[in-house]
Amino acid sequence: MTGQPHNIADGLAQVNAEIANACREVKRDPSSVTLIAVSKTFSGDEIEPALAAGQRVFGENRVQESKGKWPALREKYPGIELHLIGPLQSNKAKEAVALFDAIHSVDRASLCEALAKEIEKAGKSPQLFVEINTGEEPQKAGIIPAEADAFLIACREQYGLKIDGLMCIPPHDDAPAPHFALTAKIAKRNGLALLSMGMSADYQTAIEFGATHVRVGSAIFGSRTLSV
Ligand SMILES: *Cc1c(COP(=O)(O)O)cnc(C)c1O
């Protein structure tokens, strides 16, 4: 990394201000948007300034990494809410249910089955989001839009899972708006209230299209040295 050390409290304040602005423009209440500060690859020491500034909702993309750094932070700062935003292997479902308050990457039947089993055993459920592969990119996780309605029915009827919302990651080179609009449309016709969409480059646009959860990393914490 080069240049000035990144100030995390400033980054956080700026993102919160931009969220408030984006909400004002489309006449939404800023409290209807939850900022998930995406702290993947950053250490506990690097995350602490955000906690000290009052941020309590964080996103991580790996179970293993989260297990290493969050238990200690949770002891020190009450009220932390942790979201898993990366892909989840079925054999990590138990750990994920134990550790996370929300899982944004429900994307296949075998994972639904594993989650349903662990949720029942644990007697508590994280919030669940089904990931939609709106760009139908073969390398990307998620349910393709044409299969979303049937998958959501299967989640409920076959696996007894309560799905709370949808998540999408638009293709890197596309304008994000149509992807956000499509995700919002699928959520609406399936009666789902939550929409996890928008990252550092496009969270204002996502808010315009109804995002209830924006996942913002680099705009808060600075650029990641590892690309994950
Ligand atoms: C890393 C990541 C983010 C945050 O990306 P930034 O561009 O750093 O804001 C959001 N969502 C997912 C699924 C991610 O993996």
Side-chain angles (χ1 to χ4, degrees), residues 38 40 61 85-86 167 169 198-201 215-219 224 228:
V38 177
K40 65 189 184 193
N61 68 343
I85 61 172
M167 180 270 233
I169 309 172
M199 311 182 11
S200 291
R215 311 178 308 268
V216 181
S218 45
R224 289 178 292 273
V228 185

Side-chain angles (χ1 to χ4, degrees), residues 127-192:
Q127 273 185 340
L128 298 176
F129 294 77
V130 167
E131 181 172 351
I132 306 295
N133 184 355
T134 55
E136 306 194 24
E137 296 170 280
Q139 82 284 9
K140 204 171 262 178
I143 303 291
I144 64 166
E147 291 170 4
D149 295 2
F151 183 77
L152 288 163
I153 290 170
C155 285
R156 190 172 60 235
E157 294 185 354
Q158 240 173 294
Y159 302 105
L161 287 180
K162 180 182 177 296
I163 302 297
D164 298 287
L166 300 181
M167 180 270 233
C168 76
I169 309 172
H172 200 262
D173 298 325
D174 273 15
H179 297 276
F180 296 152
L182 175 58
T183 306
K185 188 172 132 189
I186 297 169
K188 186 162 187 218
R189 71 171 180 245
N190 285 282
L192 300 174

Side-chain angles (χ1 to χ4, degrees), residues 11 51 67:
L51 285 157
K67 260 174 65 184

Side-chain angles (χ1 to χ4, degrees), residues 58-75 80-84 88 92-103 115 118-119 122 124-127:
F58 291 86
E60 289 283 345
N61 68 343
R62 293 192 176 161
V63 174
Q64 214 56 29
E65 180 184 341
S66 307
K67 260 174 65 184
K69 64 192 191 191
W70 282 99
L73 292 169
R74 272 187 157 146
E75 261 183 39
I80 286 173
E81 192 181 304
L82 210 51
H83 292 239
L84 179 66
L88 177 59
K92 298 255 171 71
K94 182 189 168 90
E95 289 176 302
V97 167
L99 188 61
F100 291 97
D101 302 292
I103 295 171
L115 283 171
E118 298 305 336
I119 286 168
K124 66 157 181 133
S125 179
Q127 273 185 340

